[in-house]
Amino acid sequence: MFIQQAFKARTEWWRYLVGLIIVFLGWQLFGAIPFMAALFFEAGPEVLTLTQSEMFKVLDSNLNFFLLLLTFAVGLAALFFVIRFLHNQKIKDATTSRKKIDWGRFFFGFSIVAVFTVVTTIIDYNLQPEDYLWNFDMVPFLILAAIALIMVPLQTSFEEYLFRGYLMQGIGVLAKNKWLPLVITSVIFGGMHIFNPEVEKLGYIIMFYYIGTGFLLGIMTLMDEGLELALGFHAGNNLIGALLVTADWTAFETNSVLKDVSEPTAGLDILLPIVIVYPVFLFLMARTYRWNNWKEKLFGKVYPPETLKYSEEI
């Protein structure tokens, strides 16, 4: 099983505490230095008086997008350092229970959410064209596309390796069950988005969407015994979203094809994905990869196999 992979590594509780401190410093301190330096260069000391939403509007859209995603790239490097040297674990074992990473699963997860996002956006654009502005500008869009293709997968991989990989395995081996890491990582993942501009605009009800998304990705990981589907799904969701539609009140305002100018509402738009769309995604994955034994995979115990030893090579 995927969580059981952690028993090949060093799993003392203090290692996870130290590891999280290292990752946080890499992500939120060292990773943020270029972004903060650019803000000071552009706006001077007054930047300290700005809200987070206002900070996102100081720089050129593409530069802002790149520097924000750079913080996650630095965080990912710090996380891989922690996994490799603090826990003595193979990156492969933090990714999947299979003999090697299954990239077919990654692209399947990427494709289903990408196709869904494009199709639903086209339908909504044709039904309610007054809600959109044509925002396409060739040169800025091509620069955005180049940045997004490289940086968005790094951003989403950081979040997946941190929550569905590192913490899912760590909490699982310490708690000796699967439901607790699923719940904790999903709630923390959702809580991480609490400072997003979307929360300021729509209110705290949108946290149900973020936490629900955390549960979706966590269920994918536990049922499929690996991160590949979640890695692909998360990357597809964020990449297509960044290239296709932007709005003035989102975390990433980009030079996308369309701009949503409608007044957002917090209601069915938030609940429908959780209660209808997400179960459909899980159904498609379950049929494709023949998932079974749901109760055991989501609520079963985690036992340390006696035959597993500390990993000697990475």
Side-chain angles (χ1 to χ4, degrees), residues 52-53 192-201 210 249 251:
Q52 186 180 52
S53 298
M192 186 183 73
H193 296 80
I194 197 168
F195 297 111
N196 280 21
E198 292 92 334
V199 178
E200 181 180 338
K201 182 72 174 181
Y210 290 128
W249 45 270

Side-chain angles (χ1 to χ4, degrees), residues 50 130 194 243 289:
L50 301 178
E130 68 278 4
I194 197 168
L243 295 176
Y289 296 107

Side-chain angles (χ1 to χ4, degrees), residues 88-164:
N88 196 27
Q89 185 180 25
K90 296 179 181 179
I91 299 301
K92 192 279 295 181
D93 289 341
T95 307
T96 185
S97 60
R98 285 167 274 276
K99 292 183 179 180
K100 60 182 181 179
I101 297 173
D102 187 342
W103 291 104
R105 279 174 154 83
F106 174 90
F107 288 110
F108 180 81
F110 184 100
S111 298
I112 61 171
V113 71
V115 170
F116 173 81
T117 302
V118 171
V119 170
T120 54
T121 301
I122 292 173
I123 293 173
D124 194 50
Y125 178 78
N126 282 277
L127 291 177
Q128 304 179 90
E130 68 278 4
D131 287 347
Y132 296 92
L133 290 178
W134 187 254
N135 193 54
F136 181 75
D137 189 348
M138 177 68 76
V139 174
F141 177 80
L142 290 177
I143 295 172
L144 168 67
I147 294 171
L149 286 169
I150 297 171
M151 302 301 293
V152 168
L154 296 178
Q155 176 244 327
T156 55
S157 293
F158 168 70
E159 295 183 6
E160 289 310 306
Y161 273 102
L162 177 61
F163 292 104
R164 261 64 64 178

Side-chain angles (χ1 to χ4, degrees), residues 1 3-8 173 302-309:
M1 66 180 74
I3 291 178
Q4 197 178 45
Q5 295 286 96
F7 285 112
K8 299 178 182 179
V173 299
V302 175
Y303 297 104
E306 295 179 356
T307 57
L308 292 179
K309 305 295 182 182

